[in-house]
Amino acid sequence: MGFEGIGASVRRREDVRFLSGKGNYTDDINRPGQLYAFIVRADRPHARIDGIDTAEAEKAPGVVRVFTGADMAAENLGGLPCGWQIHNQDGSPMAEPPHPVLAVGKVRHVGDPVAVVIAETRQEAKNAAELIEIRYTDLPAVASLTDAVAAGAPEVHDGVAGNICYDWVIGDKATVDAVFAKADRVVKLELTNNRLIPNAMEPRAAIGDFDTSSGDFTLYTTSQNPHVIRLLMGAFVLHIPENKLRVVAPDVGGGFGSKIYHYAEEAIVTWAAGKVRRPVKWTAERSESFMSDAHGRDHVSTAEMALDKEGHFLGLRITTLANMGAYLSTFAPCVPTYLYATLLAGVYKTPVIYCNVKAVFTNTVPVDAYRGAGRPEATYLLERLVDVIAHDTGIDKVELRRKNFIPADAFPYQTPVALQYDSGDYQTTLKVALANADWNGFEARRAEAKARGKLRGIGISTYLEACGIAPSAVVGSLGARAGLYEVANIRVHPTGSVTVFTGTHSHGQGHETTLAQLVVDQLGVPLSQVEVVHGDTAKIPFGMGTYGSRSLAVGGSAMVKAMDKIIAKGKKIAAHLMEASVQDIEFKDGSFRVAGTDKAKALHEISLAAYVPHNYPIEELEPGLDETAFYDPKNFTFPGGCHIAEVEIDPETGVVEMVNFTAVDDVGRVVNPMIVEGQVQGGVAQGIGQALLESALYDPHGQLLSGSYMDYTMPRANDIPAMSVATENTMCTHNPLGSKGCGEVGAIGSPPAVINAVVDALKDHGVRHLDMPATAPKLWSIIQAAQPRLAAE
Amino acid sequence: MYDFTYDKPGSLADAVKLLSDDMDAKALAGGQTFIPVLKQRLNRPSRVVDLAKLGLSGITVSGDKVTIGAMTTHATIASSAEIKAKIPGLQHQASLIGDEAVRHRGTMGGSLANNDPAACYPSAVLALGGTIKTDRRSIPADEFFQGMFTTALEQGEIITSIELPIPEKSAYEKFRNPASRYAIVGVFVAKFPSGVRLAITGAGQGGVFRHTEFEKALSANFSPDAIAGIKTPADGLNSDIHASAEYRAHLVNVVARRAVAKAG
Ligand SMILES: Cc1cc2nc3c(=O)[nH]c(=O)nc-3n(C[C@H](O)[C@H](O)[C@H](O)COP(=O)(O)OP(=O)(O)OC[C@H]3O[C@@H](n4cnc5c(N)ncnc54)[C@H](O)[C@@H]3O)c2cc1C
């Protein structure tokens, strides 16, 4: 069996089922008597609904029912709730306009659900949907941040003045302004963070099931956090108590954040199943995913750094506009605030920071967390700004970073923007990355590329991020309407095999392997005897799910705590069986031994005694070996590292080729190095996608232009270079594993490295900054514009 | 998709009859364009006539020409040693269409009948001066392509094969749309003893077109330098979120030079 514990590159056990087509995804599930829902969506960005005529549709073949927003409103159902409340700088709460499940009164973005047809087949539902007549009066719409905040802009929500959801600040403006007033130099940069569409491989799907005998509801859904959906949908939307509502998130084919949120379709199928007393299934078509899955990013910022003569960072001042889309998605408000502005110190000891964020409503799909969520925005801004400072001051960009790093002996380090970093060593990740990327040999590679007619550039990003957002009390004080702990139930069965019930959810990350390795490590049970169960509120005590790279750091830590309880109880049973005192029992390599003797009992002997308690301390101890732990972390974890990108640009066409990518990340304790490498590679691929290819484009009136793969450019394998991925880890100091998280580092660290490389390649073309994505036509225009100047030199 | 009647006739005559008797009947080849259109409910045929059983696939080389059956898939063309030997540009072109799945279903006849302005084959057939053979006549390439998504085909007319003269040299160069991977600009160049023909796909608002200025210059001197100074006006070229007309006009020259260099 070989080494299978912490540190082993065990092959992902779940892949056998995924690669052989045996995964069990929501759309693979079919319930007896199942009906199909087709959702009629707004084809326009902003309009008043003057009337909906469903009469013809209701008479169409196969149609069981047609529902509109009015039907839901008649039952006093709730709207889709927002899970995070931000306060304005004047102390008042953010604007939180209603978010009806099916539109009431107005539609506010292309894709806004208006009506649902429930029919015997998907085809019949779709046929009938064409017979629904919706009378609209079009209203003026806004799609871009700058248009939405312009004077006289149309209002997305009545009474939300200027489309401002909130106007929030962190840091003291007067203090920061005073630092700027005295600074030797100020460097300023305006930049955007492009809007992205998540594009999980599996489109969203949901099945509502109503048990007519028990009155219980079951929702099967493509979710990253079934318990959160049960809470939000049950308590706020449909008013179904937890004991009557089960949420199952079976195999889920990728989420990247977009499957965290409680979506209208989940409530629609569950509610409709109760109405028609039959199961109701909905599966998104890909074009629906483009206009109904929450989008990501979409910031416009101005950043300024105050510097002394040597290039030390004295103060940072930022204003950001963040697009919320038409409605507040579940966690949208926290993304540009507590997951963004609190990260603006990065790896630097900038003493004072002020950031003002205005969140803005537009007639676009709601925007929420997407792989990295706020931290990519902060990292991109900072790491571009640092490169621009190097450009403007002439200080070497590596030297500039080095001299401003928080030193390795400064931890725990309190930043000026609320966070306290527990550990890190930025000089080391930098040093190793420079070596792995052969940074010093770059100029020779640039010259060689030039001889081939190519413009070669190198870019660096030294980033920091925050995972495992916690503790509950702190996030609660910041506006979270939920706790952020995690839950594990460890069940040691009579013969010593183990089932782990985790509140985290795996949708491609490989938890069934990684989490099982923790059991191998701590309980000494072979991997083949460990099962990991997730994604079902009927099986798992509770859980907050998977996002923000929290599963190992928080969920894994909950497992450690639960296994500690197993061991503690096992010691009592072992002491009884071996007639020793509990204090003398040691647990190691799967055996309970009496210290200093050769007396030992294996875990399976203890578990058998626990379930067959013939010879058992029954007066003091309950039978069974089954323990649950709720783990609420003391702090975030802080992965960080250094990414280096190398690109070549074809000056004739502007096409960028990624030629090298080097990542050296500090992710804390590594449980499975192969999975970590895969997570970093995947994240970097997404980061390259954002930097070079992807862009969700709306026309000025709110029509989605990049609404299919014909127009939205996903990175493909041949856009991604072979990568050098390594880790240089410092341990997280406040969780029992020392792990920090690796799911998002790739998507956070890489985009600025790529753009820095592109700008470096164009340094002779007078480029100081360019916005993502660095597409060929954009670069070609820049190169063209520089030709006369270059020719004159 | 909407409901329709499905037929899979065994003879060309039956297929033509089924398609001619019903104005709303449509032919189905590889389905790589047609099925997505049906799924999006952008087309509502009464009848779909599958051409799979008409024996229209295969490649034959005789004398100075190559004949390709209309139902021959892109994958077959891409992996044909004969095509590679006789018209290397066409073999390479087929290998660049879509992905493996698309290439194993999509057909040359289907692509030509569809005449997507960003499709690849129209450039090869036009540059090679090929002939489109149908159930009723032979149509020279210069007359076949009549603007985007428009061809000389009549209602019910079925392409049976494509006849392509064998050039001395040929090459295809494609500047891909980064999202769809169709051509933003695709250039097929063919050198014959009688002169050079060069066709451009992806760029023109009216679909594939011959670049006569390039042809003249290359006929005199078959080298990239011969066309380096020839500017293509942006008027009449496509402009979209992926490339402006000006960028396309510039690419026409770059891509054409690369195609000539590749042809050797
Ligand atoms: C993901 C993807 C990527 C693609 N990328 C490219 C690309 O890079 N370059 C490119 O050129 N193409 C590309 N295509 C299109 C592909 O090449 C199609 O196969 C082709 O356009 C149509 O051929 P088909 O055999 O599939 O025809 P179908 O889709 O079956 O038919 C297309 C049309 O032609 C008609 N038709 C078909 N055969 C005949 C015939 N023999 N006689 C008369 N009419 C006929 C049909 O009635 C229909 O109107 C791509 C397609 C997809 C799905």
Side-chain angles (χ1 to χ4, degrees):
Chain A
M1 111 195 157
F3 173 50
E4 298 173 330
I6 292 180
S9 284
V10 176
R11 286 205 190 170
R12 293 169 31 126
R13 320 156 93 192
E14 46 269 78
D15 286 355
V16 175
R17 116 172 151 262
F18 294 152
L19 295 174
S20 58
K22 296 193 178 106
N24 183 38
Y25 297 91
T26 301
D27 191 54
D28 294 325
I29 296 170
N30 292 297
R31 306 294 302 158
Q34 177 176 289
L35 299 167
Y36 293 84
F38 180 79
I39 292 170
V40 181
R41 297 175 185 279
D43 58 356
R44 60 202 68 212
H46 197 194
R48 199 173 64 229
I49 303 172
D50 296 323
I52 306 177
D53 185 350
T54 60
E56 288 303 308
E58 269 163 298
K59 285 185 270 175
V63 171
V64 175
R65 284 292 286 276
V66 179
F67 296 110
T68 67
D71 297 311
M72 295 193 100
E75 301 215 351
N76 285 323
L77 300 179
L80 298 175
C82 179
W84 203 298
Q85 187 182 49
I86 296 295
H87 284 83
N88 295 308
Q89 47 176 318
D90 67 8
S92 60
M94 68 183 187
E96 207 172 339
H99 186 179
V101 174
L102 287 169
V104 176
K106 283 182 185 176
V107 293
R108 293 187 176 82
H109 69 87
V110 171
D112 207 355
V114 180
V116 58
V117 182
I118 316 281
E120 296 289 341
T121 70
R122 200 168 272 156
Q123 279 302 315
E124 286 168 335
K126 232 174 153 171
N127 290 342
E130 291 182 1
L131 303 174
I132 294 179
E133 212 183 295
I134 307 172
R135 277 175 294 114
Y136 288 117
T137 301
D138 284 317
L139 299 169
V142 278
S144 78
L145 283 165
T146 39
D147 287 351
V149 298
E155 277 184 4
V156 178
H157 292 279
D158 297 335
V160 178
N163 294 314
I164 302 294
C165 170
Y166 57 74
D167 175 356
W168 173 91
V169 294
I170 192 166
D172 181 48
K173 185 157 192 304
T175 311
V176 175
D177 285 349
V179 168
F180 272 78
K182 283 190 293 192
D184 291 304
R185 182 161 192 162
V186 172
V187 172
K188 183 172 175 182
L189 174 65
E190 288 176 6
L191 76 178
T192 67
N193 201 294
N194 43 330
R195 186 182 181 109
L196 304 172
I197 299 178
N199 285 299
M201 201 184 289
E202 178 206 22
R204 286 190 300 114
I207 307 169
D209 201 348
F210 178 68
D211 184 326
T212 49
S213 62
S214 66
D216 291 354
F217 289 88
T218 301
L219 167 67
Y220 300 86
T221 182
T222 49
S223 176
Q224 301 179 210
N225 29 240
H227 286 88
V228 175
I229 302 305
R230 186 181 64 172
L231 181 66
L232 294 174
M233 184 176 82
F236 296 97
V237 187
L238 301 183
H239 312 309
I240 306 170
E242 283 95 333
N243 62 315
K244 288 293 185 192
L245 177 57
R246 173 183 173 201
V247 178
V248 183
D251 284 333
V252 173
F256 313 110
S258 71
K259 292 175 183 167
I260 298 172
Y261 322 117
H262 176 38
Y263 285 100
E265 297 83 1
E266 294 170 323
I268 291 170
V269 296
T270 308
W271 177 72
K275 291 268 124 193
V276 302
R277 305 193 136 235
R278 284 171 67 181
V280 176
K281 181 183 212 168
W282 168 81
T283 305
E285 297 184 1
R286 184 57 73 176
S287 47
E288 269 185 295
S289 305
F290 274 91
M291 57 170 131
S292 71
D293 293 2
H295 292 182
R297 319 274 196 266
D298 203 344
H299 283 195
V300 175
S301 298
T302 303
E304 294 169 281
M305 186 74 88
L307 301 153
D308 70 11
K309 286 200 179 61
E310 287 84 45
H312 291 109
F313 303 163
L314 303 179
L316 181 60
R317 191 163 61 190
I318 291 164
T319 57
T320 292
L321 296 177
N323 202 335
M324 296 283 103
Y327 303 99
L328 292 178
S329 173
T330 312
F331 290 111
C334 78
V335 177
T337 48
Y338 294 107
L339 296 179
Y340 163 71
T342 52
L343 272 297
L344 288 168
V347 290
Y348 308 110
K349 51 191 186 203
T350 317
V352 293
I353 297 175
Y354 168 81
C355 180
N356 170 222
V357 179
K358 290 194 179 82
V360 180
F361 289 113
T362 59
N363 294 109
T364 64
V365 174
V367 180
D368 207 327
Y370 168 62
R371 202 170 191 172
R375 293 98 84 206
E377 294 90 315
T379 301
Y380 181 68
L381 178 142
L382 263 184
E383 291 304 298
R384 278 299 302 133
L385 181 61
V386 172
D387 255 39
V388 167
I389 294 167
H391 172 273
D392 289 7
T393 62
I395 301 172
D396 176 79
K397 52 196 163 196
V398 172
E399 202 37 52
L400 181 65
R401 287 177 165 85
R402 272 202 187 110
K403 74 164 65 174
N404 284 289
F405 275 168
I406 298 161
D409 60 10
F411 295 93
Y413 177 81
Q414 179 62 51
T415 73
V417 273
L419 299 180
Q420 191 187 76
Y421 304 163
D422 62 337
S423 65
D425 182 352
Y426 313 128
Q427 298 284 0
T428 298
T429 42
L430 172 68
K431 189 178 76 194
V432 176
L434 292 173
N436 290 1
D438 184 24
W439 181 270
N440 292 333
F442 174 72
E443 288 306 327
R445 295 195 291 282
R446 195 200 298 268
E448 183 276 332
K450 193 170 181 196
R452 284 186 281 112
K454 294 285 173 74
L455 303 169
R456 189 159 173 137
I458 194 163
I460 189 166
S461 141
T462 48
Y463 76 93
L464 170 127
E465 62 130 336
C467 297
I469 167 171
S472 295
V474 171
V475 297
S477 74
L478 302 179
R481 289 163 168 161
L484 282 163
Y485 49 85
E486 202 39 80
V487 184
N489 169 224
I490 305 282
R491 188 168 301 164
V492 182
H493 301 290
T495 65
S497 63
V498 176
T499 301
V500 178
F501 298 88
T502 173
T504 66
H505 185 276
S506 186
H507 27 281
Q509 297 91 335
H511 296 173
E512 288 169 39
T513 306
T514 310
L515 298 185
Q517 287 180 257
L518 301 185
V519 179
V520 172
D521 190 84
Q522 198 171 344
L523 297 184
V525 177
L527 198 72
S528 61
Q529 292 190 28
V530 185
E531 212 59 39
V532 176
V533 176
H534 60 89
D536 187 344
T537 61
K539 294 179 182 163
I540 289 120
F542 203 76
M544 296 309 296
T546 287
Y547 38 81
S549 307
R550 69 193 300 275
S551 299
L552 183 61
V554 190
S557 294
M559 286 175 59
V560 170
K561 297 286 184 194
M563 288 189 282
D564 286 346
K565 293 186 190 178
I566 294 282
I567 293 167
K569 184 169 181 182
K571 281 183 178 174
K572 290 183 189 161
I573 302 169
H576 173 86
L577 292 178
M578 294 187 283
E579 295 173 346
S581 105
V582 175
Q583 289 73 33
D584 291 340
I585 306 291
E586 296 172 342
F587 181 72
K588 203 167 168 267
D589 300 330
S591 287
F592 294 88
R593 6 186 120 252
V594 183
T597 74
D598 58 2
K599 283 210 274 187
K601 292 272 180 201
L603 178 66
H604 64 86
E605 296 176 89
I606 298 302
S607 59
L608 194 63
Y611 288 96
V612 187
H614 296 165
N615 175 15
Y616 195 80
I618 202 83
E619 297 296 328
E620 298 114 61
L621 215 53
E622 292 171 15
L625 201 52
D626 185 330
E627 297 288 350
T628 298
F630 281 58
Y631 173 76
D632 201 87
K634 295 189 192 68
N635 192 357
F636 291 59
T637 64
F638 298 99
C642 178
H643 288 184
I644 295 175
E646 239 173 282
V647 302
E648 280 187 10
I649 300 172
D650 174 356
E652 262 191 330
T653 60
V655 169
V656 183
E657 191 191 346
M658 285 294 312
V659 286
N660 277 330
F661 198 94
T662 305
V664 178
D665 301 297
D666 174 355
V667 298
R669 171 106 51 229
V670 171
V671 174
N672 185 317
M674 183 192 68
I675 289 181
V676 169
E677 185 176 358
Q679 287 290 307
V680 174
Q681 286 174 341
V684 169
Q686 270 171 304
I688 291 172
Q690 168 161 31
L692 298 181
L693 306 165
E694 297 182 48
S695 191
L697 289 178
Y698 280 91
D699 79 4
H701 311 294
Q703 279 293 343
L704 180 59
L705 298 175
S706 51
S708 81
Y709 292 131
M710 295 299 279
D711 290 310
Y712 187 87
T713 311
M714 290 294 286
R716 287 155 162 101
N718 65 350
D719 295 314
I720 310 299
M723 293 174 208
S724 154
V725 175
T727 61
E728 281 294 328
N729 301 306
T730 62
M731 295 303 122
C732 168
T733 61
H734 58 78
N735 70 36
L737 284 166
S739 295
K740 298 183 178 180
C742 68
E744 295 158 294
V745 293
I748 293 168
S750 60
V754 175
I755 294 297
N756 287 346
V758 170
V759 171
D760 181 59
L762 296 174
K763 65 178 188 170
D764 295 337
H765 292 73
V767 178
R768 180 176 180 263
H769 174 70
L770 54 88
D771 282 322
M772 300 187 285
T775 61
K778 191 185 284 181
L779 299 190
W780 176 74
S781 301
I782 290 169
I783 293 166
Q784 284 301 107
Q787 287 317 315
R789 196 179 57 84
L790 286 176
E793 276 171 13
Chain B
M1 53 185 83
Y2 297 108
D3 289 347
F4 50 76
T5 311
Y6 173 82
D7 284 294
K8 198 175 194 176
S11 83
L12 185 60
D14 288 349
V16 171
K17 184 162 180 356
L18 283 166
L19 287 167
S20 306
D21 286 353
D22 179 350
M23 288 301 284
D24 294 323
K26 291 268 291 180
L28 172 69
Q32 296 305 291
T33 297
F34 193 34
I35 302 257
V37 165
L38 291 178
K39 281 176 139 180
Q40 290 172 68
R41 299 186 164 218
L42 297 173
N43 200 309
R44 191 170 198 162
S46 53
R47 182 182 292 278
V48 169
V49 181
D50 193 333
L51 309 182
K53 271 195 165 167
L54 307 182
L56 296 181
S57 72
I59 297 167
T60 47
V61 177
S62 60
D64 57 358
K65 63 176 192 277
V66 171
T67 304
I68 301 176
M71 289 294 285
T72 310
T73 63
H74 313 332
T76 304
I77 294 170
S79 59
S80 159
E82 283 169 305
I83 301 276
K84 191 170 183 181
K86 303 293 182 192
I87 317 179
L90 180 63
Q91 180 272 331
H92 181 233
Q93 179 176 66
S95 76
L96 298 176
I97 296 176
D99 51 37
E100 286 288 339
V102 169
R103 291 195 288 276
H104 276 86
R105 297 292 311 171
T107 69
M108 188 166 195
S111 177
L112 296 176
N114 193 47
N115 194 20
D116 186 312
C120 296
Y121 287 138
S123 65
V125 175
L126 186 59
L128 290 163
T131 304
I132 287 90
K133 303 260 185 188
T134 75
D135 59 274
R136 59 198 75 164
R137 58 183 170 149
S138 293
I139 311 171
D142 283 312
E143 291 162 26
F144 182 81
F145 303 105
Q146 302 194 343
M148 62 161 87
F149 298 111
T150 313
T151 67
L153 292 174
E154 296 163 355
Q155 167 67 27
E157 187 170 9
I158 294 174
I159 302 177
T160 52
S161 67
I162 301 98
E163 229 174 61
L164 301 167
I166 296 170
E168 292 173 340
K169 291 177 177 180
S170 69
Y172 180 66
E173 185 73 20
K174 179 178 182 181
F175 189 91
R176 285 172 155 152
N177 177 316
S180 72
R181 302 282 168 118
Y182 276 73
I184 279 190
V185 172
V187 174
F188 198 102
V189 61
K191 183 173 185 296
F192 293 94
S194 54
V196 172
R197 287 173 64 106
L198 182 148
I200 295 177
T201 188
Q205 283 171 5
V208 66
F209 64 93
R210 284 174 63 187
H211 201 301
T212 43
E213 262 190 284
F214 284 179
E215 289 181 353
K216 213 174 339 146
L218 290 169
S219 296
N221 170 16
F222 194 72
S223 89
D225 291 344
I227 55 172
I230 302 176
K231 290 230 182 315
T232 304
D235 330 332
L237 299 191
N238 284 320
S239 195
D240 54 36
I241 60 172
H242 301 287
S244 64
E246 292 69 33
Y247 184 52
R248 278 191 167 86
H250 166 78
L251 288 177
V252 162
N253 192 286
V254 176
V255 178
R257 278 187 282 122
R258 290 179 183 180
V260 173
K262 188 181 282 165

